[in-house]
Amino acid sequence: MPAEPLPRFDAVILAEAHRIEHARRIVTAWLRQQCRMTKPRAEALEIVVSELCTNAVLHGSASAFGLRGVASADGAVRLEVHDGTPCRVPSPQCPGLMEENGRGLFLVDALVGELDGTWGFSDNGTVAWCLIPATGEGE
């Protein structure tokens, strides 16, 4: 009997701010239903994806961005946002207290770290990714 395929999805989303909600819903439904991730972990990743998709909309030059999720046999989940815009690889910033923007990657770093995962960008900056264990300690 062949092994059951591992959960995955690929989506293309218009690079418009109001479409980020669609990306969050896609990811959360996939994590909860296909990957059987707990609600708190899925909600934390929803925020991560929201921040990465927001960067694709704000800083990418394409009319759409790709969103991918892949589960691995060892129980990890990889999420990717492809904006197709080569750039210097971004890093978390330390904006001033009164700045309204610039905290997204700092938030990504904190949440992914809390979930015992890793994150980063492709060498050319076109893909933001995170890799998270589907379950945490004690789950």
Side-chain angles (χ1 to χ4, degrees):
M1 187 164 142
E4 192 170 314
L6 295 169
R8 68 177 299 133
F9 76 89
D10 283 287
V12 176
I13 300 172
L14 292 175
E16 300 169 350
H18 69 278
R19 303 283 183 177
I20 295 169
E21 173 64 23
H22 297 138
R24 288 194 303 259
R25 288 182 186 190
I26 289 167
V27 168
T28 300
W30 180 74
L31 291 170
R32 297 282 290 137
Q33 295 172 12
Q34 299 295 311
C35 300
R36 307 286 189 238
M37 189 174 282
T38 63
K39 187 176 180 179
R41 288 181 83 73
E43 287 175 344
L45 277 174
E46 182 178 342
I47 295 168
V48 169
V49 165
S50 180
E51 293 299 330
L52 297 179
C53 290
T54 297
N55 282 352
V57 169
L58 294 178
H59 304 294
S61 61
S63 61
F65 62 89
L67 180 62
R68 173 179 291 155
V70 180
S72 65
D74 66 359
V77 172
R78 182 177 173 100
L79 295 167
E80 300 175 352
V81 177
H82 301 250
D83 72 8
T85 306
C87 67
R88 178 184 60 79
V89 174
S91 62
Q93 302 297 306
C94 295
L97 291 174
M98 301 308 287
E99 296 293 323
E100 293 183 18
N101 298 313
R103 293 174 180 80
L105 294 182
F106 181 79
L107 184 58
V108 167
D109 190 55
L111 289 170
V112 170
E114 185 68 26
L115 296 170
D116 296 320
T118 58
W119 72 281
F121 290 88
S122 61
D123 290 342
N124 66 0
T126 62
V127 179
W129 58 269
C130 65
L131 183 65
I132 307 291
T135 58
E137 287 186 31
E139 291 180 359

